[in-house]
Amino acid sequence: GLTFEQQQLPMVKSFMLGSRIMGIVFGCGIGMFPLLLLPDTPRDDLATEIAQVLPADRRCEFMNKMTAHQFKEGESILKYGDLSNHVVLVKSGQVECVGRDATGLPFKVCTMHPGHGFGHPGLQSPANMDLVAKDGPVVIQNILKADFLRIAGSEGMEVWKNSMQRERRVYLATQGHRIEDVVPPARKGTGKTRWFASLSHHEKLEVLEIVGKEHVRMFRGEENEGKVRFFATLPEDTKHKALAAWHQQRILQRDHNSTTSEQRV
């Protein structure tokens, strides 16, 4: 063995440290190697994951409302700025998500696989990225947002939220989009009254009717009636619930009109 003086030499200390590091790296490599030989466990597509948390009757209805579409490699599934009434779920293949930076130039945000989806069921806003079939053929499943909300309910919504990739959450945050909900939360100073003030006179009356029919009788839908001033005095929770219910009604009405127009064509 080495004497105490030899052990204190800088060269000996460096050699001992290097040996310990190499031992740790080698040991970790040996321990992790078997994991490389394990077969990949395919993840269920998102439609199946959502259906699994629903009662039997709603599960069947949910899957029956799904329509499948196939895309070749390089084909556009959804274009930046397009307005879609559907939730898009990846069944097979890979979908490249291409966002826009601060100067408007496109860049890759992430790649979606089976188990991922796009299009917040509770939002009606233009797409903030392109969806492009990366490795064809890509099969996606569509369902109307109104049908998703009605059938899947809170159980399906929870699965959908948990499926969102971290890269997309970060991208949406930098774009100024609310991920969890379009309606400001029931806290003071979050913009509910400002949103109400931006509505037309008729839309304001629709919101106030949800609050209570007795409140609608106070106003005639004209200028300077004090609708915004009255709304500002309501409890924060009442404001949030009224705006959320009104927004949901608008989505359902829009999808109904869209479906009716398609049937006429």
Side-chain angles (χ1 to χ4, degrees):
L2 299 175
T3 65
F4 178 77
E5 289 77 9
Q6 291 173 327
Q7 293 177 11
Q8 301 307 307
L9 292 174
M11 183 178 65
V12 175
K13 286 185 175 181
S14 299
F15 180 80
M16 292 172 62
L17 180 60
S19 300
R20 289 170 182 167
I21 293 174
M22 288 299 295
I24 292 172
V25 172
F26 183 75
C28 290
I30 292 296
M32 296 294 291
F33 181 74
L35 298 179
L36 301 175
L37 304 179
L38 292 176
D40 290 335
T41 302
R43 180 177 176 179
D44 287 336
D45 61 83
L46 189 53
T48 302
E49 290 186 20
I50 293 172
Q52 287 173 347
V53 303
L54 302 179
D57 56 338
R58 283 197 284 149
R59 183 185 309 146
C60 293
E61 185 180 7
F62 180 78
M63 297 306 292
N64 288 337
K65 289 290 184 181
M66 286 286 175
T67 57
H69 303 273
Q70 184 169 301
F71 296 85
K72 298 177 182 177
E73 183 173 347
E75 275 194 289
S76 174
I77 299 171
L78 185 66
K79 293 183 178 179
Y80 180 91
D82 283 355
L83 189 62
S84 173
N85 293 327
H86 292 83
V87 178
V88 177
L89 311 176
V90 182
K91 182 171 179 60
S92 65
Q94 301 182 65
V95 176
E96 194 163 86
C97 303
V98 182
R100 299 296 185 275
D101 64 16
T103 64
L105 294 176
F107 73 98
K108 178 183 173 181
V109 177
C110 62
T111 300
M112 293 196 298
H113 304 85
H116 296 139
F118 185 87
H120 194 299
L123 296 181
Q124 286 290 333
S125 57
N128 45 49
M129 59 180 74
D130 295 302
L131 300 186
V132 181
K134 183 179 180 182
D135 295 321
V138 171
V139 178
I140 61 129
Q141 295 170 296
N142 284 350
I143 182 171
L144 281 170
K145 292 183 177 182
D147 286 338
F148 186 102
L149 293 171
R150 176 178 61 84
I151 303 169
S154 59
E155 305 100 314
M157 194 66 199
E158 188 67 23
V159 176
W160 186 92
K161 288 178 180 178
N162 291 336
S163 74
M164 185 177 288
Q165 295 147 292
R166 180 180 177 276
E167 296 91 340
R168 281 179 55 209
R169 290 180 182 275
V170 172
Y171 173 71
L172 291 175
T174 62
Q175 297 290 304
H177 294 279
R178 291 183 53 79
I179 298 172
E180 300 299 331
D181 201 349
V182 67
V183 181
R187 297 195 304 272
K188 190 173 180 62
T190 54
K192 294 180 293 298
T193 301
R194 289 195 298 274
W195 187 8
F196 179 80
S198 69
L199 302 178
S200 68
H201 296 303
H202 178 69
E203 290 170 338
K204 289 186 179 80
L205 291 181
E206 290 177 340
V207 175
L208 292 177
E209 185 173 10
I210 294 172
V211 175
K213 292 188 181 296
E214 66 276 10
H215 300 308
V216 178
R217 291 194 286 268
M218 299 167 53
F219 307 104
R220 292 179 293 180
E222 299 175 355
E223 292 275 0
N224 302 319
E225 289 183 309
K227 294 185 287 295
V228 176
R229 189 164 53 251
F230 170 78
F231 186 82
T233 64
L234 297 174
E236 299 300 317
D237 187 55
T238 301
K239 295 179 191 176
H240 172 81
K241 289 181 178 178
L243 289 173
W246 175 81
H247 180 69
Q248 180 61 28
Q249 288 178 3
R250 301 282 289 193
I251 293 175
L252 293 173
Q253 184 60 45
R254 177 173 187 154
D255 287 340
H256 173 73
N257 293 341
S258 176
T259 303
T260 303
S261 299
E262 291 175 359
Q263 291 174 346
R264 288 175 181 172
V265 173

